[in-house]
Amino acid sequence: MSVIRAHRATGLSPVFSRTSVRVAVATATAASAVLLLAGPAAAHVSVQPQGEAAQGGYATVNFKVPNERDDAATVKLEINMPTEHPLASVLPQPVPGWKISVTKTKLDKPLDMHGKQITEAVSKVTWTSDGSEIGPGQFQQFPVSLGQLPEKADQLVFKALQTYDDKEVVRWIEAPEEGAAEPESPAPVLELSPATGDHHGSAAGADDDSDAKGKEEAGEHGGHAGKSSSADDSDSTARVLAVVGILVGAVGVAFGVLAGRRRAS
């Protein structure tokens, strides 16, 4: 009887109430599905600059490696440098519990850097577990100082290989294509901002100055990394809230239609 009185007090019929409950449950289920799908979409190796990565300048970047397995730990990361734009200066920052290996390759065409001829460049940087690992539900960032960034490119694509302790290797090597959907295994992409006078000035300075600046920026990677992670989380949250907002709007429309029918009857 109390339920009937409540329906009479609100002016809603029991049938309409049951319909509203069904719609609300469907909305909650859909929202939950969106939340579940939003996480895996971002669970791949990515690269974010600390501050700005300008054309023709130097930058310190973080390669962010999340663990997307529930029953295995990440124990190795390989980052291949872009071959179409060789980088004369590649300086990885030490990460506690990880051993670093740098591979260099002879260049077909030497690079001219500060009046010097560079005949070889770093082609790959590898981090291998040396007491640490990336467990389920965790991520790790690997800072690297890069330069000189190309002056006539909008982005750099780094192919990454992520190895788990069960020997599984995930290859994040698919370059994105403009206007196409995100690849299933996207490669990390570093977006380059337009060059400024300051960045060209730093590129024209001494190698030691550039390297020192890169190391100083890398030393602060924890705080900047947190901002990058927050930005990623904010993007995912915004997408989820947008979808939930659409679903809630649909519920409101259904409510209005059913209420109109009740008044008409």
Side-chain angles (χ1 to χ4, degrees):
M1 292 298 291
S2 59
V3 174
I4 295 176
R5 292 194 191 97
H7 290 317
R8 289 175 178 172
T10 58
L12 299 177
S13 68
V15 174
F16 179 74
S17 179
R18 288 196 295 271
T19 302
S20 301
V21 170
R22 293 194 192 98
V23 174
V25 170
T27 302
T29 302
S32 299
V34 172
L35 289 171
L36 290 173
L37 292 174
H44 57 77
V45 177
S46 60
V47 58
Q48 300 102 10
Q50 295 182 19
E52 187 178 33
Q55 297 168 333
Y58 288 78
T60 298
V61 303
N62 287 319
F63 289 96
K64 180 181 177 182
V65 185
N67 190 328
E68 57 175 13
R69 297 288 182 268
D70 295 330
D71 56 355
T74 296
V75 294
K76 185 178 180 181
L77 172 68
E78 299 174 60
I79 297 294
N80 292 277
M81 298 295 126
T83 57
E84 67 276 15
H85 298 293
L87 300 172
S89 176
V90 177
L91 302 173
Q93 179 182 352
V95 178
W98 295 83
K99 181 173 61 178
I100 301 174
S101 174
V102 176
T103 302
K104 293 186 177 182
T105 301
K106 188 174 181 63
L107 299 174
D108 295 332
K109 182 180 178 180
L111 297 175
D112 187 5
M113 185 174 181
H114 310 319
K116 299 179 181 179
Q117 289 289 313
I118 307 298
T119 59
E120 64 177 12
V122 174
S123 57
K124 181 171 66 175
V125 180
T126 303
W127 290 266
T128 306
S129 173
D130 189 24
S132 293
E133 60 183 23
I134 309 173
Q138 300 177 347
F139 77 93
Q140 176 66 53
Q141 298 198 91
F142 299 90
V144 181
S145 175
L146 302 175
Q148 182 178 355
L149 301 176
E151 298 181 357
K152 298 181 179 180
D154 297 327
Q155 62 182 24
L156 291 177
V157 178
F158 301 85
K159 295 184 177 181
L161 275 65
Q162 181 178 8
T163 302
Y164 289 87
D165 56 8
D166 60 1
K167 308 303 181 184
E168 178 188 7
V169 178
V170 181
R171 301 168 63 84
W172 306 105
I173 61 173
E174 298 180 53
E177 296 183 6
E178 186 175 357
E182 183 181 64
E184 183 177 350
S185 301
V189 177
L190 177 64
E191 301 292 342
L192 303 182
S193 59
T196 63
D198 291 340
H199 286 92
H200 280 292
S202 65
D207 287 340
D208 292 342
D209 293 339
S210 301
D211 295 344
K213 180 180 179 181
K215 291 179 180 179
E216 180 180 355
E217 293 174 344
E220 301 173 355
H221 78 279
H224 292 292
K227 295 179 182 178
S228 299
S229 301
S230 298
D232 290 347
D233 295 340
S234 297
D235 291 341
S236 298
T237 302
R239 290 194 295 269
V240 172
L241 290 177
V243 175
V244 172
I246 293 173
L247 294 173
V248 171
V251 173
V253 173
F255 185 97
V257 171
L258 291 174
R261 289 180 178 176
R262 181 178 179 278
R263 286 194 297 269
S265 62

